[in-house]
Amino acid sequence: MLADRIEGKWLDAFCEILERCAVKRGDTASELVQNHMDDTVNLNQMLIALLNKNPDAFVDSNVNRLKAGAKLQMPDVQEARKISKADARQQVIFTLREHEFLPKIGS
């Protein structure tokens, strides 16, 4: 519906201005950080920066369990760059394994 697309674009622009975004049911952290990335950081770095900046927006500190209705303050690339790519990857994999999204090796 055209009204929904217009509202969505308006909301995206408004969120960018405020750098704060309200999570809607079905939103994913990956989708939300995409517009805030550049080629100097990867998705894992942005996800961990988002988690670090908004710990109360996630269930059990799991980047895959974003709370609907949470108000997010989006990280910028400078914040994400402070997290090494290796550390970010390790944290995301640990979270996925802890919450059984990935099998544990050797189990």
Side-chain angles (χ1 to χ4, degrees), residues 39-42 44-45 80-81 83-90:
D39 60 356
T40 66
V41 296
N42 65 31
N44 291 335
Q45 287 172 290
R81 272 192 225 119
I83 304 161
S84 77
K85 290 180 180 180
D87 286 345
R89 182 176 186 276
Q90 185 176 19

Side-chain angles (χ1 to χ4, degrees), residues 57-72:
F58 296 87
V59 176
D60 297 330
S61 298
N62 182 341
V63 294
N64 294 296
R65 299 193 60 204
L66 194 54
K67 296 177 185 174
K71 303 283 191 275
L72 296 178

Side-chain angles (χ1 to χ4, degrees), residues 9-98:
K9 288 182 181 184
W10 179 86
L11 182 60
D12 289 344
F14 186 70
C15 284
E16 270 191 52
I17 292 167
L18 294 180
E19 291 301 310
R20 190 169 272 284
C21 199
V23 177
K24 297 179 302 245
R25 186 174 179 87
D27 281 348
T28 67
S30 297
E31 291 171 338
L32 295 174
V33 298
Q34 290 294 327
N35 292 335
H36 300 273
M37 294 175 57
D38 66 17
D39 60 356
T40 66
V41 296
N42 65 31
L43 180 59
N44 291 335
Q45 287 172 290
M46 287 299 290
L47 288 173
I48 298 305
L50 182 67
L51 174 64
N52 290 346
K53 195 161 191 163
N54 304 278
D56 294 335
F58 296 87
V59 176
D60 297 330
S61 298
N62 182 341
V63 294
N64 294 296
R65 299 193 60 204
L66 194 54
K67 296 177 185 174
K71 303 283 191 275
L72 296 178
Q73 188 171 357
M74 300 306 286
D76 57 32
V77 293
Q78 290 82 6
E79 291 169 288
R81 272 192 225 119
K82 292 177 184 175
I83 304 161
S84 77
K85 290 180 180 180
D87 286 345
R89 182 176 186 276
Q90 185 176 19
Q91 287 182 52
V92 169
I93 288 173
F94 176 78
T95 299
L96 293 173
R97 286 197 177 128
E98 272 300 297

